[in-house]
PDB file of all heavy atoms in Angstrom:
ATOM      1  N   GLN K  47       9.774   8.779   7.787  1.00 87.00           N
ATOM      2  CA  GLN K  47      10.476   7.549   8.281  1.00 87.00           C
ATOM      3  C   GLN K  47      11.805   7.326   7.427  1.00 87.00           C
ATOM      4  O   GLN K  47      12.264   6.249   7.364  1.00 87.00           O
ATOM      5  CB  GLN K  47       9.576   6.352   8.084  1.00 87.00           C
ATOM      6  CG  GLN K  47       8.361   6.379   8.886  1.00 87.00           C
ATOM      7  CD  GLN K  47       8.874   6.239  10.422  1.00 87.00           C
ATOM      8  OE1 GLN K  47       9.839   5.617  10.895  1.00 87.00           O
ATOM      9  NE2 GLN K  47       8.057   6.913  11.284  1.00 87.00           N
ATOM     10  N   GLU K  48      12.333   8.374   6.738  1.00 71.00           N
ATOM     11  CA  GLU K  48      13.485   8.117   5.902  1.00 71.00           C
ATOM     12  C   GLU K  48      14.582   7.362   6.504  1.00 71.00           C
ATOM     13  O   GLU K  48      15.149   6.419   5.926  1.00 71.00           O
ATOM     14  CB  GLU K  48      13.928   9.496   5.347  1.00 71.00           C
ATOM     15  CG  GLU K  48      14.884   9.310   4.188  1.00 71.00           C
ATOM     16  CD  GLU K  48      15.164  10.597   3.469  1.00 71.00           C
ATOM     17  OE1 GLU K  48      14.303  11.423   3.321  1.00 71.00           O
ATOM     18  OE2 GLU K  48      16.348  10.807   3.036  1.00 71.00           O
ATOM     19  N   ASP K  49      14.870   7.663   7.675  1.00 70.00           N
ATOM     20  CA  ASP K  49      15.905   6.889   8.524  1.00 70.00           C
ATOM     21  C   ASP K  49      15.334   5.934   9.386  1.00 70.00           C
ATOM     22  O   ASP K  49      16.054   5.374  10.218  1.00 70.00           O
ATOM     23  CB  ASP K  49      16.792   7.887   9.130  1.00 70.00           C
ATOM     24  CG  ASP K  49      17.679   8.814   8.154  1.00 70.00           C
ATOM     25  OD1 ASP K  49      17.905   8.314   7.163  1.00 70.00           O
ATOM     26  OD2 ASP K  49      17.861  10.061   8.549  1.00 70.00           O
ATOM     27  N   GLY K  50      14.046   5.861   9.441  1.00 78.00           N
ATOM     28  CA  GLY K  50      13.381   4.906  10.379  1.00 78.00           C
ATOM     29  C   GLY K  50      12.899   3.628   9.819  1.00 78.00           C
ATOM     30  O   GLY K  50      13.378   3.149   8.764  1.00 78.00           O
ATOM     31  N   ASP K  51      11.806   3.156  10.362  1.00 90.00           N
ATOM     32  CA  ASP K  51      11.171   1.978   9.940  1.00 90.00           C
ATOM     33  C   ASP K  51      10.061   2.225   8.992  1.00 90.00           C
ATOM     34  O   ASP K  51       9.015   2.671   9.237  1.00 90.00           O
ATOM     35  CB  ASP K  51      10.668   1.137  11.184  1.00 90.00           C
ATOM     36  CG  ASP K  51       9.962  -0.174  10.813  1.00 90.00           C
ATOM     37  OD1 ASP K  51      10.074  -0.537   9.677  1.00 90.00           O
ATOM     38  OD2 ASP K  51       9.325  -0.767  11.728  1.00 90.00           O
ATOM     39  N   ARG K  52      10.341   2.101   7.676  1.00 93.00           N
ATOM     40  CA  ARG K  52       9.405   2.344   6.729  1.00 93.00           C
ATOM     41  C   ARG K  52       8.321   1.352   6.673  1.00 93.00           C
ATOM     42  O   ARG K  52       7.184   1.707   6.102  1.00 93.00           O
ATOM     43  CB  ARG K  52      10.183   2.327   5.313  1.00 93.00           C
ATOM     44  CG  ARG K  52      11.057   3.457   5.078  1.00 93.00           C
ATOM     45  CD  ARG K  52      11.770   3.474   3.693  1.00 93.00           C
ATOM     46  NE  ARG K  52      12.436   4.655   3.482  1.00 93.00           N
ATOM     47  CZ  ARG K  52      13.112   4.936   2.352  1.00 93.00           C
ATOM     48  NH1 ARG K  52      13.155   4.052   1.459  1.00 93.00           N
ATOM     49  NH2 ARG K  52      13.711   6.102   2.309  1.00 93.00           N
ATOM     50  N   TYR K  53       8.376   0.175   7.251  1.00 95.00           N
ATOM     51  CA  TYR K  53       7.366  -0.684   7.385  1.00 95.00           C
ATOM     52  C   TYR K  53       6.196  -0.268   8.065  1.00 95.00           C
ATOM     53  O   TYR K  53       5.051  -0.673   7.784  1.00 95.00           O
ATOM     54  CB  TYR K  53       7.877  -2.049   7.788  1.00 95.00           C
ATOM     55  CG  TYR K  53       8.667  -2.830   6.875  1.00 95.00           C
ATOM     56  CD1 TYR K  53      10.087  -2.662   6.735  1.00 95.00           C
ATOM     57  CD2 TYR K  53       7.999  -3.719   5.954  1.00 95.00           C
ATOM     58  CE1 TYR K  53      10.855  -3.276   5.794  1.00 95.00           C
ATOM     59  CE2 TYR K  53       8.755  -4.401   4.983  1.00 95.00           C
ATOM     60  CZ  TYR K  53      10.173  -4.130   4.845  1.00 95.00           C
ATOM     61  OH  TYR K  53      10.870  -4.766   3.910  1.00 95.00           O
ATOM     62  N   GLN K  54       6.438   0.863   8.944  1.00 95.00           N
ATOM     63  CA  GLN K  54       5.233   1.446   9.616  1.00 95.00           C
ATOM     64  C   GLN K  54       4.266   2.184   8.699  1.00 95.00           C
ATOM     65  O   GLN K  54       3.208   2.305   8.927  1.00 95.00           O
ATOM     66  CB  GLN K  54       5.728   2.489  10.657  1.00 95.00           C
ATOM     67  CG  GLN K  54       6.582   1.812  11.748  1.00 95.00           C
ATOM     68  CD  GLN K  54       7.072   2.886  12.676  1.00 95.00           C
ATOM     69  OE1 GLN K  54       6.548   4.134  12.760  1.00 95.00           O
ATOM     70  NE2 GLN K  54       7.976   2.606  13.583  1.00 95.00           N
ATOM     71  N   CYS K  55       4.858   2.439   7.511  1.00 97.00           N
ATOM     72  CA  CYS K  55       3.957   3.172   6.537  1.00 97.00           C
ATOM     73  C   CYS K  55       3.117   2.270   5.753  1.00 97.00           C
ATOM     74  O   CYS K  55       2.190   2.785   5.097  1.00 97.00           O
ATOM     75  CB  CYS K  55       4.939   3.985   5.494  1.00 97.00           C
ATOM     76  SG  CYS K  55       5.973   5.068   6.265  1.00 97.00           S
ATOM     77  N   ILE K  56       3.334   0.897   5.772  1.00 97.00           N
ATOM     78  CA  ILE K  56       2.377   0.084   4.936  1.00 97.00           C
ATOM     79  C   ILE K  56       0.990   0.175   5.321  1.00 97.00           C
ATOM     80  O   ILE K  56       0.179   0.385   4.468  1.00 97.00           O
ATOM     81  CB  ILE K  56       2.951  -1.357   5.109  1.00 97.00           C
ATOM     82  CG1 ILE K  56       4.315  -1.427   4.416  1.00 97.00           C
ATOM     83  CG2 ILE K  56       1.891  -2.296   4.284  1.00 97.00           C
ATOM     84  CD1 ILE K  56       5.036  -2.825   4.545  1.00 97.00           C
ATOM     85  N   PRO K  57       0.533   0.082   6.613  1.00 97.00           N
ATOM     86  CA  PRO K  57      -0.961   0.202   6.881  1.00 97.00           C
ATOM     87  C   PRO K  57      -1.322   1.565   7.128  1.00 97.00           C
ATOM     88  O   PRO K  57      -2.556   1.815   7.487  1.00 97.00           O
ATOM     89  CB  PRO K  57      -0.949  -0.726   8.054  1.00 97.00           C
ATOM     90  CG  PRO K  57       0.326  -0.501   8.860  1.00 97.00           C
ATOM     91  CD  PRO K  57       1.286  -0.352   7.764  1.00 97.00           C
ATOM     92  N   LYS K  58      -0.529   2.497   7.175  1.00 97.00           N
ATOM     93  CA  LYS K  58      -0.894   3.959   7.647  1.00 97.00           C
ATOM     94  C   LYS K  58      -1.988   4.594   6.961  1.00 97.00           C
ATOM     95  O   LYS K  58      -2.967   4.972   7.675  1.00 97.00           O
ATOM     96  CB  LYS K  58       0.291   4.831   7.462  1.00 97.00           C
ATOM     97  CG  LYS K  58       0.253   6.167   8.021  1.00 97.00           C
ATOM     98  CD  LYS K  58       0.441   6.305   9.474  1.00 97.00           C
ATOM     99  CE  LYS K  58       0.455   7.731   9.897  1.00 97.00           C
ATOM    100  NZ  LYS K  58       0.668   7.819  11.358  1.00 97.00           N
ATOM    101  N   ALA K  59      -2.157   4.381   5.606  1.00 98.00           N
ATOM    102  CA  ALA K  59      -3.318   5.037   5.009  1.00 98.00           C
ATOM    103  C   ALA K  59      -4.537   4.255   5.296  1.00 98.00           C
ATOM    104  O   ALA K  59      -5.641   4.919   5.331  1.00 98.00           O
ATOM    105  CB  ALA K  59      -3.006   4.974   3.411  1.00 98.00           C
ATOM    106  N   ILE K  60      -4.520   2.940   5.453  1.00 98.00           N
ATOM    107  CA  ILE K  60      -5.609   2.127   5.743  1.00 98.00           C
ATOM    108  C   ILE K  60      -6.197   2.587   7.124  1.00 98.00           C
ATOM    109  O   ILE K  60      -7.356   2.885   7.240  1.00 98.00           O
ATOM    110  CB  ILE K  60      -5.279   0.702   5.741  1.00 98.00           C
ATOM    111  CG1 ILE K  60      -4.837   0.182   4.452  1.00 98.00           C
ATOM    112  CG2 ILE K  60      -6.548  -0.129   6.212  1.00 98.00           C
ATOM    113  CD1 ILE K  60      -4.211  -1.116   4.445  1.00 98.00           C
ATOM    114  N   VAL K  61      -5.336   2.716   8.068  1.00 97.00           N
ATOM    115  CA  VAL K  61      -5.611   3.048   9.420  1.00 97.00           C
ATOM    116  C   VAL K  61      -6.390   4.454   9.471  1.00 97.00           C
ATOM    117  O   VAL K  61      -7.453   4.625  10.018  1.00 97.00           O
ATOM    118  CB  VAL K  61      -4.508   2.989  10.419  1.00 97.00           C
ATOM    119  CG1 VAL K  61      -4.854   3.629  11.831  1.00 97.00           C
ATOM    120  CG2 VAL K  61      -3.976   1.598  10.500  1.00 97.00           C
ATOM    121  N   ILE K  62      -5.643   5.412   8.827  1.00 97.00           N
ATOM    122  CA  ILE K  62      -6.318   6.853   8.745  1.00 97.00           C
ATOM    123  C   ILE K  62      -7.687   6.781   8.080  1.00 97.00           C
ATOM    124  O   ILE K  62      -8.601   7.272   8.562  1.00 97.00           O
ATOM    125  CB  ILE K  62      -5.463   7.739   8.156  1.00 97.00           C
ATOM    126  CG1 ILE K  62      -4.204   7.953   9.139  1.00 97.00           C
ATOM    127  CG2 ILE K  62      -6.030   9.014   7.973  1.00 97.00           C
ATOM    128  CD1 ILE K  62      -3.055   8.749   8.601  1.00 97.00           C
ATOM    129  N   CYS K  63      -7.767   6.095   6.920  1.00 97.00           N
ATOM    130  CA  CYS K  63      -8.988   6.044   6.153  1.00 97.00           C
ATOM    131  C   CYS K  63     -10.106   5.450   6.865  1.00 97.00           C
ATOM    132  O   CYS K  63     -11.275   5.901   6.962  1.00 97.00           O
ATOM    133  CB  CYS K  63      -8.675   5.269   4.855  1.00 97.00           C
ATOM    134  SG  CYS K  63     -10.215   5.059   3.776  1.00 97.00           S
ATOM    135  N   VAL K  64      -9.925   4.297   7.623  1.00 97.00           N
ATOM    136  CA  VAL K  64     -10.932   3.654   8.312  1.00 97.00           C
ATOM    137  C   VAL K  64     -11.449   4.476   9.459  1.00 97.00           C
ATOM    138  O   VAL K  64     -12.689   4.453   9.776  1.00 97.00           O
ATOM    139  CB  VAL K  64     -10.458   2.283   8.913  1.00 97.00           C
ATOM    140  CG1 VAL K  64     -11.329   1.653   9.994  1.00 97.00           C
ATOM    141  CG2 VAL K  64     -10.131   1.245   7.810  1.00 97.00           C
ATOM    142  N   THR K  65     -10.708   5.412   9.941  1.00 96.00           N
ATOM    143  CA  THR K  65     -11.172   6.247  11.070  1.00 96.00           C
ATOM    144  C   THR K  65     -11.897   7.476  10.522  1.00 96.00           C
ATOM    145  O   THR K  65     -12.667   8.179  11.203  1.00 96.00           O
ATOM    146  CB  THR K  65     -10.003   6.879  12.001  1.00 96.00           C
ATOM    147  OG1 THR K  65      -9.122   7.634  11.163  1.00 96.00           O
ATOM    148  CG2 THR K  65      -9.211   5.651  12.601  1.00 96.00           C
ATOM    149  N   GLN K  66     -11.899   7.678   9.103  1.00 97.00           N
ATOM    150  CA  GLN K  66     -12.490   8.881   8.604  1.00 97.00           C
ATOM    151  C   GLN K  66     -13.615   8.535   7.562  1.00 97.00           C
ATOM    152  O   GLN K  66     -14.552   9.223   7.391  1.00 97.00           O
ATOM    153  CB  GLN K  66     -11.513   9.755   7.895  1.00 97.00           C
ATOM    154  CG  GLN K  66     -10.462  10.360   8.743  1.00 97.00           C
ATOM    155  CD  GLN K  66      -9.414  11.278   7.990  1.00 97.00           C
ATOM    156  OE1 GLN K  66      -9.397  11.459   6.843  1.00 97.00           O
ATOM    157  NE2 GLN K  66      -8.529  11.832   8.900  1.00 97.00           N
ATOM    158  N   TYR K  67     -13.390   7.371   6.843  1.00 96.00           N
ATOM    159  CA  TYR K  67     -14.392   6.993   5.742  1.00 96.00           C
ATOM    160  C   TYR K  67     -15.676   6.741   6.461  1.00 96.00           C
ATOM    161  O   TYR K  67     -15.727   6.000   7.367  1.00 96.00           O
ATOM    162  CB  TYR K  67     -13.775   5.815   4.960  1.00 96.00           C
ATOM    163  CG  TYR K  67     -14.603   5.379   3.883  1.00 96.00           C
ATOM    164  CD1 TYR K  67     -14.570   5.930   2.654  1.00 96.00           C
ATOM    165  CD2 TYR K  67     -15.593   4.329   4.102  1.00 96.00           C
ATOM    166  CE1 TYR K  67     -15.352   5.466   1.539  1.00 96.00           C
ATOM    167  CE2 TYR K  67     -16.365   3.781   3.006  1.00 96.00           C
ATOM    168  CZ  TYR K  67     -16.257   4.446   1.714  1.00 96.00           C
ATOM    169  OH  TYR K  67     -17.088   4.108   0.790  1.00 96.00           O
ATOM    170  N   ASP K  68     -16.720   7.185   5.701  1.00 94.00           N
ATOM    171  CA  ASP K  68     -18.148   6.790   6.085  1.00 94.00           C
ATOM    172  C   ASP K  68     -18.287   7.326   7.571  1.00 94.00           C
ATOM    173  O   ASP K  68     -18.831   6.548   8.438  1.00 94.00           O
ATOM    174  CB  ASP K  68     -18.353   5.402   5.935  1.00 94.00           C
ATOM    175  CG  ASP K  68     -20.020   5.121   6.017  1.00 94.00           C
ATOM    176  OD1 ASP K  68     -20.695   5.904   5.855  1.00 94.00           O
ATOM    177  OD2 ASP K  68     -20.166   3.845   6.405  1.00 94.00           O
ATOM    178  N   ASN K  69     -17.901   8.450   7.901  1.00 93.00           N
ATOM    179  CA  ASN K  69     -17.779   8.983   9.259  1.00 93.00           C
ATOM    180  C   ASN K  69     -17.204   8.039  10.253  1.00 93.00           C
ATOM    181  O   ASN K  69     -17.682   8.043  11.469  1.00 93.00           O
ATOM    182  CB  ASN K  69     -19.287   9.409   9.595  1.00 93.00           C
ATOM    183  CG  ASN K  69     -19.908  10.475   8.790  1.00 93.00           C
ATOM    184  OD1 ASN K  69     -19.172  11.460   8.520  1.00 93.00           O
ATOM    185  ND2 ASN K  69     -21.089  10.284   8.260  1.00 93.00           N
ATOM    186  N   GLY K  70     -16.258   7.389   9.964  1.00 94.00           N
ATOM    187  CA  GLY K  70     -15.493   6.534  10.927  1.00 94.00           C
ATOM    188  C   GLY K  70     -16.433   5.237  11.325  1.00 94.00           C
ATOM    189  O   GLY K  70     -16.121   4.718  12.373  1.00 94.00           O
ATOM    190  N   SER K  71     -17.243   4.822  10.497  1.00 94.00           N
ATOM    191  CA  SER K  71     -18.167   3.751  10.787  1.00 94.00           C
ATOM    192  C   SER K  71     -17.399   2.405  11.058  1.00 94.00           C
ATOM    193  O   SER K  71     -17.750   1.605  11.876  1.00 94.00           O
ATOM    194  CB  SER K  71     -19.209   3.421   9.645  1.00 94.00           C
ATOM    195  OG  SER K  71     -18.465   2.859   8.417  1.00 94.00           O
ATOM    196  N   GLN K  72     -16.239   2.306  10.453  1.00 94.00           N
ATOM    197  CA  GLN K  72     -15.289   1.123  10.578  1.00 94.00           C
ATOM    198  C   GLN K  72     -16.034  -0.206  10.271  1.00 94.00           C
ATOM    199  O   GLN K  72     -15.671  -1.264  10.787  1.00 94.00           O
ATOM    200  CB  GLN K  72     -14.619   1.090  11.887  1.00 94.00           C
ATOM    201  CG  GLN K  72     -13.887   2.390  12.092  1.00 94.00           C
ATOM    202  CD  GLN K  72     -13.015   2.279  13.387  1.00 94.00           C
ATOM    203  OE1 GLN K  72     -12.593   1.347  13.843  1.00 94.00           O
ATOM    204  NE2 GLN K  72     -12.707   3.596  13.891  1.00 94.00           N
ATOM    205  N   ASN K  73     -17.113  -0.131   9.503  1.00 95.00           N
ATOM    206  CA  ASN K  73     -17.829  -1.422   9.051  1.00 95.00           C
ATOM    207  C   ASN K  73     -16.923  -2.154   7.973  1.00 95.00           C
ATOM    208  O   ASN K  73     -15.951  -1.541   7.611  1.00 95.00           O
ATOM    209  CB  ASN K  73     -19.166  -1.206   8.625  1.00 95.00           C
ATOM    210  CG  ASN K  73     -19.259  -0.263   7.459  1.00 95.00           C
ATOM    211  OD1 ASN K  73     -18.494  -0.301   6.476  1.00 95.00           O
ATOM    212  ND2 ASN K  73     -20.488   0.590   7.403  1.00 95.00           N
ATOM    213  N   GLN K  74     -17.332  -3.332   7.700  1.00 95.00           N
ATOM    214  CA  GLN K  74     -16.539  -4.158   6.743  1.00 95.00           C
ATOM    215  C   GLN K  74     -16.404  -3.428   5.352  1.00 95.00           C
ATOM    216  O   GLN K  74     -15.364  -3.529   4.729  1.00 95.00           O
ATOM    217  CB  GLN K  74     -17.087  -5.529   6.570  1.00 95.00           C
ATOM    218  CG  GLN K  74     -16.150  -6.467   5.943  1.00 95.00           C
ATOM    219  CD  GLN K  74     -14.807  -6.677   6.632  1.00 95.00           C
ATOM    220  OE1 GLN K  74     -14.851  -7.000   7.753  1.00 95.00           O
ATOM    221  NE2 GLN K  74     -13.774  -6.478   5.963  1.00 95.00           N
TER     222      GLN K  74
END
Side-chain angles (χ1 to χ4, degrees):
Q47 295 295 327
E48 192 167 323
D49 296 325
D51 181 8
R52 290 182 172 176
Y53 285 88
Q54 293 179 20
C55 299
I56 295 173
K58 184 81 171 179
I60 298 166
V61 172
I62 293 171
C63 176
V64 167
T65 64
Q66 296 179 1
Y67 182 84
D68 193 28
N69 295 316
S71 69
Q72 300 187 24
N73 62 34
Q74 192 63 52

